[in-house]
Amino acid sequence: MQNNGRLFRNNLLVIDPDHEFCKNVGMYLEDSFNVYIRDNVEYLDYTIILNRIHLLIVNVDNADEKLLKELFNLKQQHQNVKIILMYTFIPDKPEIRRQLKKIADALITKPFDVELLKIKIECLLKGFRPQKQLDYF
């Protein structure tokens, strides 16, 4: 019966170069969601289709043109997939910040309150945008 419950839960993908961080986030969220983890954006389109991903949580601390391109293409090809961008430091380049804000459905700073992350996820999956005061850059 537990397996049937997992079939009807939303699927999340956490992408962060720090594999241990991904595992920890996954452990906090696995009681409510099916969580997949990755440490890079390679084959992202395939991963989203294969695992029927509903929402991405992506670390953008070292955002560059390659990451922006991948996320922009993802946003175009999978418009129903929501994206939460997490960061420790605001990117230095204003153009990168502008592009990230266009891509993001929500932002969250690291370290973050796991309950706040769950609220943002649930809001986005229900079609609501979390309040702007919870976002920063």
Side-chain angles (χ1 to χ4, degrees):
M1 198 61 135
Q2 285 181 333
N3 279 343
N4 288 340
R6 283 187 57 87
L7 292 175
F8 298 109
R9 296 195 308 178
N10 287 300
N11 299 326
L12 311 181
L13 176 60
V14 180
I15 302 172
D16 192 307
D18 182 348
H19 189 72
E20 288 301 313
F21 178 80
C22 286
K23 284 177 28 181
N24 289 335
V25 171
M27 286 188 333
Y28 285 119
L29 298 175
E30 70 185 359
D31 62 325
S32 303
F33 309 101
N34 297 325
V35 182
Y36 300 88
I37 60 173
R38 296 278 309 267
D39 58 6
N40 60 55
V41 294
E42 292 179 11
Y43 308 108
L44 190 55
D45 186 57
Y46 177 74
T47 302
I48 289 169
I49 293 169
L50 179 67
N51 297 303
R52 297 185 175 134
I53 299 298
H54 299 103
L55 185 137
L56 286 175
I57 304 171
V58 184
N59 178 347
V60 293
D61 280 341
N62 298 311
D64 58 9
E65 295 298 324
K66 180 184 176 195
L67 179 63
L68 287 173
K69 183 178 178 183
E70 287 288 334
L71 292 175
F72 182 76
N73 287 339
L74 170 101
K75 194 75 165 172
Q76 297 297 316
Q77 295 173 7
H78 303 280
Q79 295 176 6
N80 59 325
V81 175
K82 303 298 181 194
I83 300 175
I84 296 177
L85 300 180
M86 60 182 168
Y87 63 95
T88 307
F89 303 102
I90 298 170
D92 291 337
K93 297 178 182 175
E95 182 56 29
I96 289 181
R97 284 196 305 266
R98 277 192 293 278
Q99 293 300 319
L100 289 173
K101 280 192 92 164
K102 287 181 185 177
I103 293 167
D105 293 298
L107 303 167
I108 193 162
T109 56
K110 290 170 40 180
F112 50 80
D113 178 352
V114 178
E115 290 305 314
L116 175 61
L117 179 61
K118 282 184 179 180
I119 289 168
K120 286 187 179 223
I121 291 169
E122 289 169 1
C123 284
L124 288 171
L125 292 174
K126 290 178 181 176
F128 301 111
R129 183 168 171 87
Q131 296 179 4
K132 285 301 260 186
Q133 66 263 30
L134 301 177
D135 293 344
Y136 184 69
F137 73 76

